[in-house]
Amino acid sequence: MASSSSFRMTFSVVFLIIIGMASAELSSSYYNTSCPNALSTIKSAVNSAVAKESRMGASLLRLHFHDCFVNGCDASILLDDTSTFTGEKTANPNNNSARGFDVVDTIKSDVESICPGVVSCADILAVAARDSVVALGGPSWTVLLGRRDATTASLSAANSDIPSPSLNLSGLISAFSKKGLSTKEMVTLAGAHTIGQARCTNFRSRIYNETNIDTSYATSLKSNCPRNGSDNNLSPLDTTSSTSFDYAYYKNLVNKKGLLHSDQQLYNGGSTDSQVSGYSSSSSTFLSDFKSAIVKMGNISVLTGTSGEIRTNCRKINS
């Protein structure tokens, strides 16, 4: 028992050291000299995309999340399948769900036109996530830069490591802990569900079978999500303000109006109830914590230095 405990402690220390080393190699001023207009170019493209379709803000934020949870923040999610390569786009959490790839293509093209071969696709995802939140009324934060792009991807890791909407609280805590993120940070990052939508197939079981859901809320969802069929019909993750990055998500949880099973697990008589309650009454606390948590998430197992590459096309590795 003692040796097992020692191993876990040693592993945790090593993991934190690795994360610390990686983030130490990233810098907010990374492109100041090599591509001084990189950030303004990305922001302009994101603003244009979100103005055209507000849902795109949530989609771009989600790409960053789904990228970081699979072997680190290395833009592996952007790689297309080929005859000899299988990427992550067809993994269960991404298939018919992950979107915004065309917007990333546009951003990459814009950046390549001013600074060829300089700005990584992984950094584009991190900056686009921040700019999307800002475009929808949320807070800004300083994005650390200098990530490089992976030359491979993992379908199996995408299927196993991206948290499922069917997870219970213990499963959520475990999934985030595996990535070096605390339970508090997990609850905080879940607040990203204050924007965006989910497919009927991901919440059907909840609205028909679960009891910890507001009855009128469940009823309102059933017309758009029948017991059979219509799997791809969408409903907002935040029933009150799905295109504004605010703290209403937590108010919804307190009122048993979490759309996904995994959402409501955060306020269901468990250890995270008090944090949800706190966020539901304090926008400033949530927004401050969110900025810190997403910066930490963006540092997971990044490639720096001579590792990986700077892809010319985010959909494929350089030939």
Side-chain angles (χ1 to χ4, degrees):
M1 207 57 159
S3 60
S4 174
S5 177
S6 297
F7 173 80
R8 285 197 300 271
M9 183 175 294
T10 301
F11 177 83
S12 297
V13 170
V14 171
F15 187 92
L16 290 173
I17 290 174
I18 291 173
I19 288 291
M21 289 172 61
S23 61
E25 295 184 46
L26 301 181
S27 166
S28 61
S29 59
Y30 189 82
Y31 296 114
N32 281 9
T33 301
S34 60
C35 192
N37 293 321
L39 298 188
S40 60
T41 300
I42 296 170
K43 183 176 182 178
S44 177
V46 169
N47 286 346
S48 177
V50 174
K52 186 176 181 180
E53 183 198 8
S54 58
R55 182 187 171 206
M56 187 54 67
S59 297
L60 292 172
L61 176 58
R62 187 167 181 256
L63 280 182
H64 181 42
F65 179 89
H66 281 209
D67 178 43
C68 290
F69 262 65
V70 183
N71 298 337
C73 310
D74 59 4
S76 58
I77 192 174
L78 302 178
L79 291 169
D80 283 342
D81 291 354
T82 69
S83 58
T84 58
F85 173 84
T86 301
E88 298 164 13
K89 292 181 178 178
T90 56
N92 291 330
N94 296 327
N95 196 32
N96 297 317
S97 176
R99 58 197 299 273
F101 300 109
D102 54 338
V103 175
V104 175
D105 290 340
T106 297
I107 296 172
K108 180 61 173 174
S109 177
D110 290 349
V111 172
E112 284 293 303
S113 69
I114 58 171
C115 306
V118 174
V119 181
S120 70
C121 301
D123 276 349
I124 286 174
L125 286 181
V127 175
R130 187 269 311 277
D131 292 345
S132 293
V133 168
V134 173
L136 295 176
S140 182
W141 58 89
T142 300
V143 179
L144 299 178
L145 303 163
R147 300 167 189 77
R148 288 170 63 85
D149 302 323
T151 55
T152 187
S154 177
L155 180 69
S156 60
N159 278 321
S160 64
D161 289 7
I162 297 173
S164 164
S166 64
L167 286 180
N168 291 330
L169 181 59
S170 60
L172 290 168
I173 292 172
S174 176
F176 279 73
S177 176
K178 184 178 178 181
K179 302 302 174 183
L181 296 166
S182 68
T183 299
K184 178 182 178 181
E185 288 162 340
M186 179 268 290
V187 175
T188 303
L189 290 169
H193 282 183
T194 193
I195 55 175
Q197 302 183 65
R199 296 186 298 150
C200 166
T201 186
N202 288 324
F203 60 85
R204 176 184 286 119
S205 179
R206 170 157 165 72
I207 64 175
Y208 286 100
N209 302 318
E210 297 184 12
T211 57
N212 62 341
I213 185 169
D214 179 83
T215 304
S216 61
Y217 175 57
T219 300
S220 72
L221 293 165
K222 290 177 180 178
S223 60
N224 191 45
C225 185
R227 288 183 181 274
N228 298 294
S230 303
D231 283 1
N232 291 322
N233 283 3
L234 299 169
S235 287
L237 288 158
D238 175 351
T239 186
T240 55
S241 52
S242 64
T243 59
S244 295
F245 197 94
D246 53 28
Y247 66 123
Y249 168 79
Y250 298 102
K251 291 184 176 181
N252 294 333
L253 296 186
V254 171
N255 292 319
K256 297 185 179 181
K257 293 182 179 180
L259 181 65
L260 305 177
H261 173 82
S262 57
D263 287 328
Q264 197 59 57
Q265 282 293 295
L266 304 184
Y267 191 84
N268 192 43
S271 61
T272 56
D273 281 16
S274 60
Q275 187 180 347
V276 171
S277 294
Y279 284 164
S280 74
S281 61
S282 177
S283 172
S284 60
T285 302
F286 161 59
L287 297 177
S288 175
D289 287 353
F290 184 85
K291 292 190 291 183
S292 298
I294 198 165
V295 168
K296 182 176 177 180
M297 186 194 79
N299 293 340
I300 295 175
S301 302
V302 294
L303 300 174
T304 58
T306 58
S307 299
E309 64 181 17
I310 305 297
R311 284 188 226 135
T312 300
N313 180 335
C314 291
R315 291 178 179 265
K316 60 183 182 181
I317 62 174
N318 298 335
S319 56

